[in-house]
Amino acid sequence: MKIGAIICEYNPLHNGHVYHIQETKKQGVTHVIAILSDNFVQRGDVALLNKFDRAKLALHAGADLVLELPVIYSCASAECYATGAVNLIKQLNIINLLSFGSSTSNSNLLMQLAENIDFILANYQQEIKKIIKSGHSYPWAIWKLCQIYYGEEQANLLQDANNLLAIEYIKAMKKLNLDLELFTIPRQDVLHDSSETSAKFASASFIRKAILETKQNYFGFIPTETAELIIKKIQENHVAEIKNLESVILYKMRMISESELLNLPDMTPALAKRFLHAKNANSLPEFLENIKTKCFTMARIRRIIMCAILGIQKQDLFLEQPYARILALNQKGSELLAILKKTSNIPLGTSLKKLSNLNQEAKKFAQIEINASQVYGLAQKNIISAEQEFRAKIIKN
């Protein structure tokens, strides 16, 4: 038995994701565990489809067991996202291989880049601050220093968002003293966030845009199961969009205090002042535009907004994940579950209510998940409550 893990959002699940799972299995992997993001994702947005639907699609694509990555981590910086997911993998104490996408098939190159970035962070903080003060973002500062000290080839790897996450996975493994076999698969034909397509592949951002704007045909880039589910959700008005949260966001931003802002993840005093200055904006695009500068990426700004409306504070990022929540499994997943009951350092379960009663940290995690479900229900044209968190039955395939 060889167990592989894939950290994923599947927003939505497309042909590239299916290819990734298939190639992972070719590495001798007998069972695949998917660590799936909550309903709020790393770019500071809502997922088009809820986590239970995405978990079901993951089974169709070849995953055997789907576990939830709590929203505290799923809607966070790349470092926090990766650390939360890798720590969950460590706690399971069963996984042999971590599989992820990148723009290169050379995992050793990514490991070297991760070491180089660690060295930059440890030794060039003053240079980083100087670059940021000159009007550039934190990611750009790291890229620039990497270019100066390690050359164009290494720096260019930082241009791809998948590489950035891959590097954070490697850094998290080192920090958590976790030794896994690494398998990285190059993106097929199209880059992350690319507007270009090939015969079978398109980026998730292209597909999301096509779904929401209904101006381009996207069916050739997604499995039949994904297409059928999306059509159903569109007909039911249960596709989520951030624009449906506009009033909720504007209300929260108008009411929030400076001290509350400073308690949010990724917030700085300078950024908090920009939030307060923009609080009277009359639309979400206007609010975002009034805050954005070269120093602060749009994804970071959106993540902070989401943390504000979900009730996630800086100190929450340091909580240890108290449980692993099962979203879906098949027969091979049931085999894994039987083993995990003996190996896992944290309890596994399907019922959020039962998991919340484990301890105080579990209660905190569960409450934030309920908050997330309440808000996610408002992100759909046909509004729903958070009852799905309690009523959803485990998906078996």
Side-chain angles (χ1 to χ4, degrees):
M1 181 180 286
K2 184 176 181 180
I3 302 164
I6 295 175
I7 302 165
C8 51
E9 291 183 341
Y10 295 158
N11 185 33
L13 188 139
H14 56 62
N15 292 344
H17 296 136
V18 177
Y19 177 78
H20 181 195
I21 294 173
Q22 291 172 342
E23 291 300 303
T24 299
K25 290 184 174 181
K26 290 180 182 179
Q27 306 310 303
V29 169
T30 58
H31 299 71
V32 174
I33 297 177
I35 311 295
L36 182 70
S37 288
D38 189 86
N39 292 332
F40 292 80
V41 294
Q42 207 267 322
R43 63 193 297 123
D45 203 349
V46 293
L48 290 183
L49 303 177
N50 71 62
K51 58 192 173 188
F52 300 106
D53 287 332
R54 286 180 287 123
K56 181 178 180 180
L57 293 176
L59 292 186
H60 282 299
D64 300 305
L65 176 65
V66 184
L67 302 178
E68 177 183 72
L69 180 63
V71 69
I72 287 175
Y73 309 121
S74 74
C75 189
S77 67
E79 180 181 7
C80 183
Y81 173 92
T83 301
V86 171
N87 188 48
L88 175 55
I89 289 171
K90 180 179 180 179
Q91 295 305 319
L92 296 175
N93 200 26
I94 195 177
I95 292 168
N96 311 110
L97 174 145
L98 176 60
S99 178
F100 50 84
S102 68
S103 65
T104 174
S105 60
N106 190 340
S107 60
N108 290 328
L109 189 62
L110 292 172
M111 291 175 71
Q112 183 60 56
L113 182 55
E115 286 187 17
N116 293 343
I117 291 175
D118 267 345
F119 188 83
I120 288 172
L121 293 175
N123 296 278
Y124 295 101
Q125 280 299 316
Q126 292 304 315
E127 286 84 349
I128 292 171
K129 291 178 182 177
K130 185 177 179 181
I131 293 172
I132 292 173
K133 283 183 179 180
S134 69
H136 295 286
S137 68
Y138 177 82
W140 196 91
I142 302 300
W143 172 83
K144 187 62 179 177
L145 290 173
C146 188
Q147 181 191 50
I148 292 171
Y149 294 110
Y150 299 108
E152 290 288 341
E153 181 183 13
Q154 290 264 305
N156 287 341
L157 289 173
L158 293 175
Q159 301 285 3
D160 186 272
N162 285 98
N163 289 346
L164 293 176
L165 278 176
I167 292 162
E168 292 299 339
Y169 297 148
I170 294 168
K171 288 169 59 183
M173 286 172 54
K174 181 180 178 181
K175 179 169 64 177
L176 296 169
N177 195 29
L178 179 63
D179 185 23
L180 295 175
E181 179 184 343
L182 297 178
F183 173 65
T184 181
I185 177 170
R187 294 183 65 87
Q188 292 298 302
D189 301 330
V190 294
L191 297 176
H192 180 87
D193 279 348
S194 174
S195 59
E196 298 179 0
T197 64
S198 70
K200 290 177 57 180
F201 300 105
S203 69
S205 59
F206 174 91
I207 296 169
R208 286 193 299 271
K209 185 176 180 181
I211 291 169
L212 295 175
E213 296 182 359
T214 62
K215 291 180 180 179
Q216 293 174 295
N217 191 325
Y218 53 88
F219 292 115
F221 309 122
I222 57 178
T224 301
E225 293 83 5
T226 303
E228 290 175 348
L229 186 55
I230 288 172
I231 291 170
K232 179 175 180 289
K233 293 297 178 177
I234 289 174
Q235 292 172 343
E236 295 172 349
N237 284 322
H238 284 319
V239 172
E241 293 186 70
I242 192 172
K243 70 177 186 180
N244 293 329
L245 293 175
E246 182 175 64
S247 295
V248 174
I249 291 170
L250 293 178
Y251 169 78
K252 183 65 177 179
M253 292 301 100
R254 289 185 181 189
M255 300 300 291
I256 199 167
S257 67
E258 185 173 9
S259 61
E260 289 173 322
L261 281 170
L262 291 172
N263 223 10
L264 297 174
D266 272 345
M267 183 60 82
T268 66
L271 186 50
K273 284 183 170 55
R274 295 193 67 84
F275 267 71
L276 291 171
H277 183 72
K279 67 189 299 181
N280 291 319
N282 294 319
S283 70
L284 180 56
E286 181 187 348
F287 180 79
L288 294 171
E289 192 59 36
N290 287 345
I291 296 174
K292 186 186 177 187
T293 70
K294 287 183 179 180
C295 297
F296 307 117
T297 64
M298 190 61 78
R300 178 178 177 179
I301 294 167
R302 288 195 302 260
R303 285 196 299 268
I304 290 172
I305 291 171
M306 293 305 177
C307 286
I309 62 177
L310 298 180
I312 300 173
Q313 300 180 331
K314 283 181 180 179
Q315 60 264 31
D316 295 331
L317 303 184
F318 300 99
L319 294 172
E320 286 289 334
Q321 185 167 342
Y323 56 74
R325 189 179 183 198
I326 303 163
L327 298 179
L329 79 167
N330 57 19
Q331 183 57 48
K332 291 175 72 175
S334 296
E335 296 172 8
L336 287 175
L337 192 55
I339 300 171
L340 282 165
K341 288 179 179 178
K342 301 175 183 178
T343 66
S344 179
N345 296 323
I346 54 176
L348 289 89
T350 59
S351 168
L352 189 62
K353 187 172 183 178
K354 289 181 180 179
L355 291 169
S356 70
N357 291 325
L358 291 170
N359 51 48
Q360 286 302 311
E361 285 193 349
K363 194 177 296 293
K364 177 70 172 179
F365 266 75
Q367 185 56 58
I368 292 175
E369 292 303 328
I370 293 169
N371 294 349
S373 287
Q374 292 284 22
V375 176
Y376 188 75
L378 299 174
Q380 302 164 53
K381 287 182 180 178
N382 188 2
I383 293 173
I384 59 173
S385 74
E387 290 182 358
Q388 186 179 28
E389 284 288 356
F390 295 108
R391 292 182 177 179
K393 295 181 179 179
I394 187 169
I395 299 165
K396 296 182 179 181
N397 195 16

